[in-house]
PDB file of all heavy atoms in Angstrom:
ATOM      1  N   GLY A  14     -26.531  -4.848 -42.262  1.00 44.00           N
ATOM      2  CA  GLY A  14     -27.303  -3.627 -42.671  1.00 44.00           C
ATOM      3  C   GLY A  14     -28.817  -3.885 -42.460  1.00 44.00           C
ATOM      4  O   GLY A  14     -29.531  -3.109 -41.715  1.00 44.00           O
ATOM      5  N   GLY A  17     -30.340  -3.985 -38.987  1.00 42.00           N
ATOM      6  CA  GLY A  17     -30.785  -2.826 -38.393  1.00 42.00           C
ATOM      7  C   GLY A  17     -29.628  -2.260 -37.425  1.00 42.00           C
ATOM      8  O   GLY A  17     -29.803  -2.093 -36.282  1.00 42.00           O
ATOM      9  N   GLN A  21     -25.270   2.594 -40.629  1.00 62.00           N
ATOM     10  CA  GLN A  21     -23.867   3.166 -40.790  1.00 62.00           C
ATOM     11  C   GLN A  21     -23.685   3.418 -42.233  1.00 62.00           C
ATOM     12  O   GLN A  21     -24.139   2.711 -43.193  1.00 62.00           O
ATOM     13  CB  GLN A  21     -22.759   2.235 -40.347  1.00 62.00           C
ATOM     14  CG  GLN A  21     -22.997   1.885 -38.961  1.00 62.00           C
ATOM     15  CD  GLN A  21     -23.395   0.514 -38.734  1.00 62.00           C
ATOM     16  OE1 GLN A  21     -24.203  -0.087 -39.605  1.00 62.00           O
ATOM     17  NE2 GLN A  21     -22.851  -0.201 -37.795  1.00 62.00           N
ATOM     18  N   LEU A  99     -35.455  10.053 -28.584  1.00 84.00           N
ATOM     19  CA  LEU A  99     -34.944   8.937 -27.670  1.00 84.00           C
ATOM     20  C   LEU A  99     -33.701   8.306 -28.270  1.00 84.00           C
ATOM     21  O   LEU A  99     -32.738   7.994 -27.596  1.00 84.00           O
ATOM     22  CB  LEU A  99     -36.011   8.013 -27.299  1.00 84.00           C
ATOM     23  CG  LEU A  99     -35.603   6.747 -26.484  1.00 84.00           C
ATOM     24  CD1 LEU A  99     -34.871   7.158 -25.262  1.00 84.00           C
ATOM     25  CD2 LEU A  99     -36.625   5.830 -26.305  1.00 84.00           C
ATOM     26  N   ARG A 103     -30.252   8.168 -26.554  1.00 88.00           N
ATOM     27  CA  ARG A 103     -29.602   7.022 -26.093  1.00 88.00           C
ATOM     28  C   ARG A 103     -28.120   7.009 -26.534  1.00 88.00           C
ATOM     29  O   ARG A 103     -27.241   6.644 -25.830  1.00 88.00           O
ATOM     30  CB  ARG A 103     -30.283   5.903 -26.663  1.00 88.00           C
ATOM     31  CG  ARG A 103     -30.104   4.591 -26.007  1.00 88.00           C
ATOM     32  CD  ARG A 103     -31.268   3.616 -26.283  1.00 88.00           C
ATOM     33  NE  ARG A 103     -30.889   2.236 -26.372  1.00 88.00           N
ATOM     34  CZ  ARG A 103     -30.739   1.560 -27.322  1.00 88.00           C
ATOM     35  NH1 ARG A 103     -30.998   2.044 -28.538  1.00 88.00           N
ATOM     36  NH2 ARG A 103     -30.330   0.214 -27.298  1.00 88.00           N
ATOM     37  N   LYS A 175     -34.398  -1.882 -10.466  1.00 90.00           N
ATOM     38  CA  LYS A 175     -33.125  -2.545 -10.423  1.00 90.00           C
ATOM     39  C   LYS A 175     -31.953  -1.507 -10.600  1.00 90.00           C
ATOM     40  O   LYS A 175     -30.984  -1.415  -9.848  1.00 90.00           O
ATOM     41  CB  LYS A 175     -33.145  -3.670 -11.423  1.00 90.00           C
ATOM     42  CG  LYS A 175     -31.941  -4.627 -11.423  1.00 90.00           C
ATOM     43  CD  LYS A 175     -32.164  -5.647 -12.358  1.00 90.00           C
ATOM     44  CE  LYS A 175     -32.184  -5.015 -13.748  1.00 90.00           C
ATOM     45  NZ  LYS A 175     -32.708  -5.923 -14.763  1.00 90.00           N
ATOM     46  N   LEU A 186     -20.576   3.841  -2.944  1.00 84.00           N
ATOM     47  CA  LEU A 186     -19.201   3.585  -3.332  1.00 84.00           C
ATOM     48  C   LEU A 186     -18.527   5.119  -3.412  1.00 84.00           C
ATOM     49  O   LEU A 186     -17.392   5.175  -2.867  1.00 84.00           O
ATOM     50  CB  LEU A 186     -18.965   2.929  -4.611  1.00 84.00           C
ATOM     51  CG  LEU A 186     -19.262   1.445  -4.679  1.00 84.00           C
ATOM     52  CD1 LEU A 186     -18.969   0.799  -5.998  1.00 84.00           C
ATOM     53  CD2 LEU A 186     -18.544   0.722  -3.588  1.00 84.00           C
ATOM     54  N   TYR A 254     -29.153 -20.939 -14.521  1.00 88.00           N
ATOM     55  CA  TYR A 254     -27.989 -20.828 -15.466  1.00 88.00           C
ATOM     56  C   TYR A 254     -27.296 -22.242 -15.474  1.00 88.00           C
ATOM     57  O   TYR A 254     -26.869 -22.722 -14.530  1.00 88.00           O
ATOM     58  CB  TYR A 254     -27.013 -19.760 -14.895  1.00 88.00           C
ATOM     59  CG  TYR A 254     -25.788 -19.540 -15.670  1.00 88.00           C
ATOM     60  CD1 TYR A 254     -25.770 -18.683 -16.731  1.00 88.00           C
ATOM     61  CD2 TYR A 254     -24.602 -20.196 -15.508  1.00 88.00           C
ATOM     62  CE1 TYR A 254     -24.637 -18.443 -17.509  1.00 88.00           C
ATOM     63  CE2 TYR A 254     -23.472 -20.079 -16.247  1.00 88.00           C
ATOM     64  CZ  TYR A 254     -23.483 -19.175 -17.139  1.00 88.00           C
ATOM     65  OH  TYR A 254     -22.369 -18.998 -18.017  1.00 88.00           O
ATOM     66  N   ASN A 300     -18.688 -25.458 -14.470  1.00 88.00           N
ATOM     67  CA  ASN A 300     -17.736 -24.505 -13.924  1.00 88.00           C
ATOM     68  C   ASN A 300     -18.492 -23.568 -12.962  1.00 88.00           C
ATOM     69  O   ASN A 300     -18.051 -23.233 -11.918  1.00 88.00           O
ATOM     70  CB  ASN A 300     -17.390 -23.561 -15.107  1.00 88.00           C
ATOM     71  CG  ASN A 300     -16.237 -22.794 -14.906  1.00 88.00           C
ATOM     72  OD1 ASN A 300     -15.430 -23.060 -13.923  1.00 88.00           O
ATOM     73  ND2 ASN A 300     -15.987 -21.741 -15.627  1.00 88.00           N
ATOM     74  N   GLU A 308     -17.078 -20.761  -3.367  1.00 92.00           N
ATOM     75  CA  GLU A 308     -17.543 -19.637  -2.545  1.00 92.00           C
ATOM     76  C   GLU A 308     -18.031 -20.282  -1.275  1.00 92.00           C
ATOM     77  O   GLU A 308     -17.889 -19.647  -0.148  1.00 92.00           O
ATOM     78  CB  GLU A 308     -18.744 -19.071  -3.229  1.00 92.00           C
ATOM     79  CG  GLU A 308     -18.925 -17.513  -2.748  1.00 92.00           C
ATOM     80  CD  GLU A 308     -17.728 -16.692  -2.875  1.00 92.00           C
ATOM     81  OE1 GLU A 308     -17.401 -16.589  -4.008  1.00 92.00           O
ATOM     82  OE2 GLU A 308     -17.398 -16.120  -1.902  1.00 92.00           O
ATOM     83  N   ASN A 340      -7.661 -24.211 -13.930  1.00 89.00           N
ATOM     84  CA  ASN A 340      -8.518 -23.346 -13.186  1.00 89.00           C
ATOM     85  C   ASN A 340      -8.888 -23.824 -11.843  1.00 89.00           C
ATOM     86  O   ASN A 340      -8.834 -22.983 -10.853  1.00 89.00           O
ATOM     87  CB  ASN A 340      -9.795 -22.977 -14.007  1.00 89.00           C
ATOM     88  CG  ASN A 340      -9.582 -22.191 -15.194  1.00 89.00           C
ATOM     89  OD1 ASN A 340      -8.395 -21.660 -15.289  1.00 89.00           O
ATOM     90  ND2 ASN A 340     -10.465 -22.022 -16.026  1.00 89.00           N
ATOM     91  N   ASP A 375       2.876 -22.875 -15.587  1.00 83.00           N
ATOM     92  CA  ASP A 375       1.959 -21.851 -15.589  1.00 83.00           C
ATOM     93  C   ASP A 375       2.283 -20.864 -14.503  1.00 83.00           C
ATOM     94  O   ASP A 375       2.168 -21.276 -13.322  1.00 83.00           O
ATOM     95  CB  ASP A 375       0.533 -22.391 -15.435  1.00 83.00           C
ATOM     96  CG  ASP A 375      -0.575 -21.262 -15.576  1.00 83.00           C
ATOM     97  OD1 ASP A 375      -0.116 -20.081 -15.666  1.00 83.00           O
ATOM     98  OD2 ASP A 375      -1.691 -21.603 -15.727  1.00 83.00           O
ATOM     99  N   TRP A 505      30.491  -2.022   3.756  1.00 86.00           N
ATOM    100  CA  TRP A 505      30.412  -1.897   5.143  1.00 86.00           C
ATOM    101  C   TRP A 505      30.929  -2.982   6.056  1.00 86.00           C
ATOM    102  O   TRP A 505      31.758  -2.819   6.943  1.00 86.00           O
ATOM    103  CB  TRP A 505      28.958  -1.585   5.510  1.00 86.00           C
ATOM    104  CG  TRP A 505      28.812  -1.069   6.824  1.00 86.00           C
ATOM    105  CD1 TRP A 505      29.081   0.218   7.369  1.00 86.00           C
ATOM    106  CD2 TRP A 505      28.496  -1.828   8.076  1.00 86.00           C
ATOM    107  NE1 TRP A 505      28.899   0.316   8.626  1.00 86.00           N
ATOM    108  CE2 TRP A 505      28.501  -1.055   9.149  1.00 86.00           C
ATOM    109  CE3 TRP A 505      28.203  -3.264   8.173  1.00 86.00           C
ATOM    110  CZ2 TRP A 505      28.267  -1.525  10.374  1.00 86.00           C
ATOM    111  CZ3 TRP A 505      27.933  -3.638   9.486  1.00 86.00           C
ATOM    112  CH2 TRP A 505      28.005  -2.700  10.622  1.00 86.00           C
ATOM    113  N   ILE A 603      38.717   7.961  17.934  1.00 77.00           N
ATOM    114  CA  ILE A 603      38.012   8.330  16.797  1.00 77.00           C
ATOM    115  C   ILE A 603      37.070   7.241  16.382  1.00 77.00           C
ATOM    116  O   ILE A 603      35.956   7.176  16.100  1.00 77.00           O
ATOM    117  CB  ILE A 603      38.739   8.982  15.721  1.00 77.00           C
ATOM    118  CG1 ILE A 603      39.372  10.337  16.178  1.00 77.00           C
ATOM    119  CG2 ILE A 603      37.885   9.370  14.484  1.00 77.00           C
ATOM    120  CD1 ILE A 603      40.433  10.877  15.295  1.00 77.00           C
ATOM    121  N   ASP A 918       8.381  14.119  16.850  1.00 40.00           N
ATOM    122  CA  ASP A 918       9.849  13.985  16.151  1.00 40.00           C
ATOM    123  C   ASP A 918      10.900  13.500  17.158  1.00 40.00           C
ATOM    124  O   ASP A 918      11.744  12.749  16.712  1.00 40.00           O
ATOM    125  CB  ASP A 918      10.119  15.239  15.514  1.00 40.00           C
ATOM    126  CG  ASP A 918      11.424  15.143  14.713  1.00 40.00           C
ATOM    127  OD1 ASP A 918      11.481  14.280  13.882  1.00 40.00           O
ATOM    128  OD2 ASP A 918      12.290  15.890  15.071  1.00 40.00           O
ATOM    129  N   PRO A 950       4.543  -0.808 -14.061  1.00 42.00           N
ATOM    130  CA  PRO A 950       5.491  -1.654 -14.744  1.00 42.00           C
ATOM    131  C   PRO A 950       6.525  -0.551 -15.370  1.00 42.00           C
ATOM    132  O   PRO A 950       6.212   0.402 -15.749  1.00 42.00           O
ATOM    133  CB  PRO A 950       4.858  -2.369 -15.828  1.00 42.00           C
ATOM    134  CG  PRO A 950       3.661  -1.603 -16.114  1.00 42.00           C
ATOM    135  CD  PRO A 950       3.300  -0.745 -14.845  1.00 42.00           C
ATOM    136  N   PHE A 977     -15.218 -15.198 -38.969  1.00 64.00           N
ATOM    137  CA  PHE A 977     -16.478 -15.608 -39.244  1.00 64.00           C
ATOM    138  C   PHE A 977     -16.894 -16.843 -38.540  1.00 64.00           C
ATOM    139  O   PHE A 977     -18.049 -17.204 -38.543  1.00 64.00           O
ATOM    140  CB  PHE A 977     -16.521 -15.994 -40.834  1.00 64.00           C
ATOM    141  CG  PHE A 977     -16.144 -14.815 -41.637  1.00 64.00           C
ATOM    142  CD1 PHE A 977     -14.913 -14.841 -42.290  1.00 64.00           C
ATOM    143  CD2 PHE A 977     -17.058 -13.972 -41.949  1.00 64.00           C
ATOM    144  CE1 PHE A 977     -14.564 -13.686 -43.035  1.00 64.00           C
ATOM    145  CE2 PHE A 977     -16.681 -12.768 -42.802  1.00 64.00           C
ATOM    146  CZ  PHE A 977     -15.479 -12.736 -43.256  1.00 64.00           C
ATOM    147  N   LEU A 980     -18.540 -17.471 -32.240  1.00 73.00           N
ATOM    148  CA  LEU A 980     -17.949 -17.396 -30.943  1.00 73.00           C
ATOM    149  C   LEU A 980     -18.108 -18.635 -30.146  1.00 73.00           C
ATOM    150  O   LEU A 980     -17.272 -19.162 -29.462  1.00 73.00           O
ATOM    151  CB  LEU A 980     -18.281 -16.143 -30.165  1.00 73.00           C
ATOM    152  CG  LEU A 980     -17.749 -14.798 -30.803  1.00 73.00           C
ATOM    153  CD1 LEU A 980     -18.325 -13.686 -30.006  1.00 73.00           C
ATOM    154  CD2 LEU A 980     -16.314 -14.819 -30.926  1.00 73.00           C
TER     155      LEU A 980
ATOM    156  N   MET J   1      34.164  10.076  18.803  1.00 44.00           N
ATOM    157  CA  MET J   1      33.397   9.840  17.679  1.00 44.00           C
ATOM    158  C   MET J   1      33.462   8.248  17.463  1.00 44.00           C
ATOM    159  O   MET J   1      34.479   7.645  17.563  1.00 44.00           O
ATOM    160  CB  MET J   1      34.077  10.441  16.410  1.00 44.00           C
ATOM    161  CG  MET J   1      33.470  11.794  16.155  1.00 44.00           C
ATOM    162  SD  MET J   1      31.815  11.774  15.515  1.00 44.00           S
ATOM    163  CE  MET J   1      32.195  11.300  13.880  1.00 44.00           C
ATOM    164  N   PRO J   5      27.491   2.980  10.121  1.00 47.00           N
ATOM    165  CA  PRO J   5      27.285   2.846   8.581  1.00 47.00           C
ATOM    166  C   PRO J   5      26.387   4.019   8.255  1.00 47.00           C
ATOM    167  O   PRO J   5      25.605   4.457   8.883  1.00 47.00           O
ATOM    168  CB  PRO J   5      26.315   1.505   8.459  1.00 47.00           C
ATOM    169  CG  PRO J   5      25.973   1.278   9.861  1.00 47.00           C
ATOM    170  CD  PRO J   5      26.940   1.842  10.817  1.00 47.00           C
ATOM    171  N   ARG J  17      12.461  15.338   9.150  1.00 66.00           N
ATOM    172  CA  ARG J  17      11.768  14.239  10.029  1.00 66.00           C
ATOM    173  C   ARG J  17      10.391  14.596  10.188  1.00 66.00           C
ATOM    174  O   ARG J  17       9.616  13.607  10.130  1.00 66.00           O
ATOM    175  CB  ARG J  17      12.469  14.280  11.394  1.00 66.00           C
ATOM    176  CG  ARG J  17      13.916  13.768  11.263  1.00 66.00           C
ATOM    177  CD  ARG J  17      14.090  12.547  12.140  1.00 66.00           C
ATOM    178  NE  ARG J  17      15.389  11.896  11.826  1.00 66.00           N
ATOM    179  CZ  ARG J  17      16.526  12.530  12.372  1.00 66.00           C
ATOM    180  NH1 ARG J  17      16.456  13.459  13.188  1.00 66.00           N
ATOM    181  NH2 ARG J  17      17.601  11.819  12.089  1.00 66.00           N
ATOM    182  N   ARG J  38     -14.696   0.151  -0.930  1.00 50.00           N
ATOM    183  CA  ARG J  38     -14.527  -1.061  -1.870  1.00 50.00           C
ATOM    184  C   ARG J  38     -14.812  -0.392  -3.199  1.00 50.00           C
ATOM    185  O   ARG J  38     -15.835   0.260  -3.330  1.00 50.00           O
ATOM    186  CB  ARG J  38     -15.373  -2.053  -1.430  1.00 50.00           C
ATOM    187  CG  ARG J  38     -15.073  -3.307  -2.013  1.00 50.00           C
ATOM    188  CD  ARG J  38     -16.015  -4.494  -1.591  1.00 50.00           C
ATOM    189  NE  ARG J  38     -15.885  -5.633  -2.482  1.00 50.00           N
ATOM    190  CZ  ARG J  38     -16.632  -5.669  -3.488  1.00 50.00           C
ATOM    191  NH1 ARG J  38     -17.433  -4.619  -3.892  1.00 50.00           N
ATOM    192  NH2 ARG J  38     -16.589  -6.687  -4.322  1.00 50.00           N
ATOM    193  N   GLU J  74      -0.311  -3.915 -22.380  1.00 89.00           N
ATOM    194  CA  GLU J  74       0.297  -4.828 -21.306  1.00 89.00           C
ATOM    195  C   GLU J  74      -0.500  -6.206 -21.326  1.00 89.00           C
ATOM    196  O   GLU J  74       0.030  -7.175 -21.262  1.00 89.00           O
ATOM    197  CB  GLU J  74       0.192  -4.237 -19.889  1.00 89.00           C
ATOM    198  CG  GLU J  74       1.438  -3.747 -19.426  1.00 89.00           C
ATOM    199  CD  GLU J  74       1.385  -3.184 -18.053  1.00 89.00           C
ATOM    200  OE1 GLU J  74       0.761  -3.851 -17.081  1.00 89.00           O
ATOM    201  OE2 GLU J  74       1.710  -2.012 -17.885  1.00 89.00           O
ATOM    202  N   CYS J  87      -4.252 -21.747 -16.889  1.00 87.00           N
ATOM    203  CA  CYS J  87      -5.701 -21.260 -16.299  1.00 87.00           C
ATOM    204  C   CYS J  87      -5.956 -19.919 -16.814  1.00 87.00           C
ATOM    205  O   CYS J  87      -5.092 -19.140 -17.374  1.00 87.00           O
ATOM    206  CB  CYS J  87      -5.532 -21.345 -14.786  1.00 87.00           C
ATOM    207  SG  CYS J  87      -4.096 -20.547 -13.863  1.00 87.00           S
ATOM    208  N   ASN J  88      -7.158 -19.623 -16.727  1.00 90.00           N
ATOM    209  CA  ASN J  88      -7.691 -18.513 -17.326  1.00 90.00           C
ATOM    210  C   ASN J  88      -7.707 -17.224 -16.523  1.00 90.00           C
ATOM    211  O   ASN J  88      -8.411 -16.254 -16.735  1.00 90.00           O
ATOM    212  CB  ASN J  88      -9.243 -18.638 -17.618  1.00 90.00           C
ATOM    213  CG  ASN J  88      -9.538 -19.837 -18.650  1.00 90.00           C
ATOM    214  OD1 ASN J  88      -8.917 -20.817 -18.556  1.00 90.00           O
ATOM    215  ND2 ASN J  88     -10.397 -19.595 -19.599  1.00 90.00           N
ATOM    216  N   ASN J 116     -14.381 -13.892  -6.889  1.00 89.00           N
ATOM    217  CA  ASN J 116     -14.419 -15.325  -7.355  1.00 89.00           C
ATOM    218  C   ASN J 116     -14.171 -15.368  -8.751  1.00 89.00           C
ATOM    219  O   ASN J 116     -14.978 -15.064  -9.636  1.00 89.00           O
ATOM    220  CB  ASN J 116     -15.788 -15.817  -6.919  1.00 89.00           C
ATOM    221  CG  ASN J 116     -15.949 -17.319  -7.122  1.00 89.00           C
ATOM    222  OD1 ASN J 116     -15.160 -17.881  -7.973  1.00 89.00           O
ATOM    223  ND2 ASN J 116     -16.877 -17.835  -6.539  1.00 89.00           N
ATOM    224  N   GLU J 122     -17.936 -17.170 -15.604  1.00 91.00           N
ATOM    225  CA  GLU J 122     -19.383 -17.445 -16.010  1.00 91.00           C
ATOM    226  C   GLU J 122     -20.042 -16.225 -16.373  1.00 91.00           C
ATOM    227  O   GLU J 122     -20.888 -16.244 -17.224  1.00 91.00           O
ATOM    228  CB  GLU J 122     -20.059 -18.165 -14.872  1.00 91.00           C
ATOM    229  CG  GLU J 122     -19.592 -19.589 -14.669  1.00 91.00           C
ATOM    230  CD  GLU J 122     -19.541 -20.388 -15.935  1.00 91.00           C
ATOM    231  OE1 GLU J 122     -20.506 -20.542 -16.602  1.00 91.00           O
ATOM    232  OE2 GLU J 122     -18.431 -20.748 -16.335  1.00 91.00           O
ATOM    233  N   VAL J 138     -23.351 -15.583 -32.932  1.00 87.00           N
ATOM    234  CA  VAL J 138     -22.547 -14.343 -33.026  1.00 87.00           C
ATOM    235  C   VAL J 138     -21.061 -14.699 -33.487  1.00 87.00           C
ATOM    236  O   VAL J 138     -20.642 -15.746 -33.138  1.00 87.00           O
ATOM    237  CB  VAL J 138     -22.468 -13.538 -31.602  1.00 87.00           C
ATOM    238  CG1 VAL J 138     -21.720 -14.473 -30.713  1.00 87.00           C
ATOM    239  CG2 VAL J 138     -21.795 -12.171 -31.762  1.00 87.00           C
ATOM    240  N   LEU J 141     -17.189 -10.557 -36.614  1.00 85.00           N
ATOM    241  CA  LEU J 141     -17.467  -9.472 -37.432  1.00 85.00           C
ATOM    242  C   LEU J 141     -18.742  -8.772 -36.892  1.00 85.00           C
ATOM    243  O   LEU J 141     -18.899  -7.552 -37.055  1.00 85.00           O
ATOM    244  CB  LEU J 141     -17.855 -10.079 -38.764  1.00 85.00           C
ATOM    245  CG  LEU J 141     -16.750 -10.009 -39.810  1.00 85.00           C
ATOM    246  CD1 LEU J 141     -17.279 -10.493 -41.163  1.00 85.00           C
ATOM    247  CD2 LEU J 141     -16.156  -8.547 -39.972  1.00 85.00           C
ATOM    248  N   PHE J 145     -18.776  -4.578 -36.441  1.00 85.00           N
ATOM    249  CA  PHE J 145     -19.511  -3.664 -37.044  1.00 85.00           C
ATOM    250  C   PHE J 145     -20.635  -3.096 -36.225  1.00 85.00           C
ATOM    251  O   PHE J 145     -21.269  -2.080 -36.450  1.00 85.00           O
ATOM    252  CB  PHE J 145     -20.028  -4.133 -38.378  1.00 85.00           C
ATOM    253  CG  PHE J 145     -18.970  -4.276 -39.473  1.00 85.00           C
ATOM    254  CD1 PHE J 145     -18.443  -5.497 -39.721  1.00 85.00           C
ATOM    255  CD2 PHE J 145     -18.584  -3.125 -40.108  1.00 85.00           C
ATOM    256  CE1 PHE J 145     -17.396  -5.512 -40.633  1.00 85.00           C
ATOM    257  CE2 PHE J 145     -17.722  -3.254 -41.073  1.00 85.00           C
ATOM    258  CZ  PHE J 145     -17.024  -4.499 -41.326  1.00 85.00           C
ATOM    259  N   LYS J 149     -23.897  -1.773 -30.324  1.00 89.00           N
ATOM    260  CA  LYS J 149     -24.955  -2.724 -29.880  1.00 89.00           C
ATOM    261  C   LYS J 149     -24.384  -3.578 -28.669  1.00 89.00           C
ATOM    262  O   LYS J 149     -25.100  -3.837 -27.782  1.00 89.00           O
ATOM    263  CB  LYS J 149     -25.507  -3.564 -30.889  1.00 89.00           C
ATOM    264  CG  LYS J 149     -26.120  -2.774 -32.051  1.00 89.00           C
ATOM    265  CD  LYS J 149     -27.097  -3.563 -32.736  1.00 89.00           C
ATOM    266  CE  LYS J 149     -28.167  -2.710 -33.262  1.00 89.00           C
ATOM    267  NZ  LYS J 149     -29.295  -3.270 -33.820  1.00 89.00           N
ATOM    268  N   GLU J 165     -28.059  -8.092 -14.011  1.00 84.00           N
ATOM    269  CA  GLU J 165     -29.140  -9.025 -14.298  1.00 84.00           C
ATOM    270  C   GLU J 165     -28.699 -10.423 -14.714  1.00 84.00           C
ATOM    271  O   GLU J 165     -27.764 -10.534 -15.592  1.00 84.00           O
ATOM    272  CB  GLU J 165     -30.062  -8.433 -15.483  1.00 84.00           C
ATOM    273  CG  GLU J 165     -31.215  -9.168 -15.835  1.00 84.00           C
ATOM    274  CD  GLU J 165     -32.050  -9.406 -14.682  1.00 84.00           C
ATOM    275  OE1 GLU J 165     -32.740  -8.387 -14.252  1.00 84.00           O
ATOM    276  OE2 GLU J 165     -32.205 -10.525 -14.129  1.00 84.00           O
ATOM    277  N   GLN J 178     -35.757  -1.708 -26.603  1.00 84.00           N
ATOM    278  CA  GLN J 178     -34.999  -0.548 -27.060  1.00 84.00           C
ATOM    279  C   GLN J 178     -34.918  -0.640 -28.611  1.00 84.00           C
ATOM    280  O   GLN J 178     -35.027   0.482 -29.285  1.00 84.00           O
ATOM    281  CB  GLN J 178     -33.592  -0.587 -26.524  1.00 84.00           C
ATOM    282  CG  GLN J 178     -33.718  -0.084 -25.006  1.00 84.00           C
ATOM    283  CD  GLN J 178     -32.374  -0.499 -24.369  1.00 84.00           C
ATOM    284  OE1 GLN J 178     -31.515  -0.928 -24.969  1.00 84.00           O
ATOM    285  NE2 GLN J 178     -32.302  -0.288 -23.037  1.00 84.00           N
ATOM    286  N   LEU J 181     -37.902   0.466 -30.641  1.00 73.00           N
ATOM    287  CA  LEU J 181     -37.863   1.954 -30.670  1.00 73.00           C
ATOM    288  C   LEU J 181     -37.016   2.499 -31.847  1.00 73.00           C
ATOM    289  O   LEU J 181     -37.340   3.323 -32.547  1.00 73.00           O
ATOM    290  CB  LEU J 181     -37.249   2.417 -29.283  1.00 73.00           C
ATOM    291  CG  LEU J 181     -37.867   3.644 -28.766  1.00 73.00           C
ATOM    292  CD1 LEU J 181     -38.713   3.309 -27.624  1.00 73.00           C
ATOM    293  CD2 LEU J 181     -36.616   4.423 -28.254  1.00 73.00           C
ATOM    294  N   LEU J 192     -32.759   2.535 -44.779  1.00 50.00           N
ATOM    295  CA  LEU J 192     -31.475   2.075 -44.658  1.00 50.00           C
ATOM    296  C   LEU J 192     -30.965   1.344 -46.029  1.00 50.00           C
ATOM    297  O   LEU J 192     -29.843   1.382 -46.395  1.00 50.00           O
ATOM    298  CB  LEU J 192     -31.377   0.952 -43.676  1.00 50.00           C
ATOM    299  CG  LEU J 192     -30.045   0.258 -43.284  1.00 50.00           C
ATOM    300  CD1 LEU J 192     -29.308   1.150 -42.270  1.00 50.00           C
ATOM    301  CD2 LEU J 192     -30.221  -1.062 -42.857  1.00 50.00           C
ATOM    302  N   ILE J 196     -27.274   0.820 -48.118  1.00 56.00           N
ATOM    303  CA  ILE J 196     -26.704  -0.424 -48.411  1.00 56.00           C
ATOM    304  C   ILE J 196     -26.395  -0.497 -49.855  1.00 56.00           C
ATOM    305  O   ILE J 196     -25.390  -0.948 -50.476  1.00 56.00           O
ATOM    306  CB  ILE J 196     -27.440  -1.614 -47.998  1.00 56.00           C
ATOM    307  CG1 ILE J 196     -27.464  -1.691 -46.542  1.00 56.00           C
ATOM    308  CG2 ILE J 196     -27.002  -2.907 -48.510  1.00 56.00           C
ATOM    309  CD1 ILE J 196     -28.417  -2.749 -45.912  1.00 56.00           C
TER     310      ILE J 196
END
Side-chain angles (χ1 to χ4, degrees):
Chain A
Q21 301 109 323
L99 173 57
R103 195 159 153 254
K175 191 173 63 194
L186 291 181
Y254 180 86
N300 201 19
E308 206 58 55
N340 287 349
D375 187 349
W505 188 81
I603 296 169
D918 179 61
F977 303 100
L980 292 176
Chain J
M1 267 291 276
R17 289 236 172 78
R38 197 177 159 278
E74 248 177 63
C87 45
N88 294 45
N116 185 337
E122 289 312 298
V138 66
L141 265 184
F145 288 101
K149 297 209 155 182
E165 183 55 73
Q178 289 168 3
L181 217 102
L192 184 89
I196 292 175

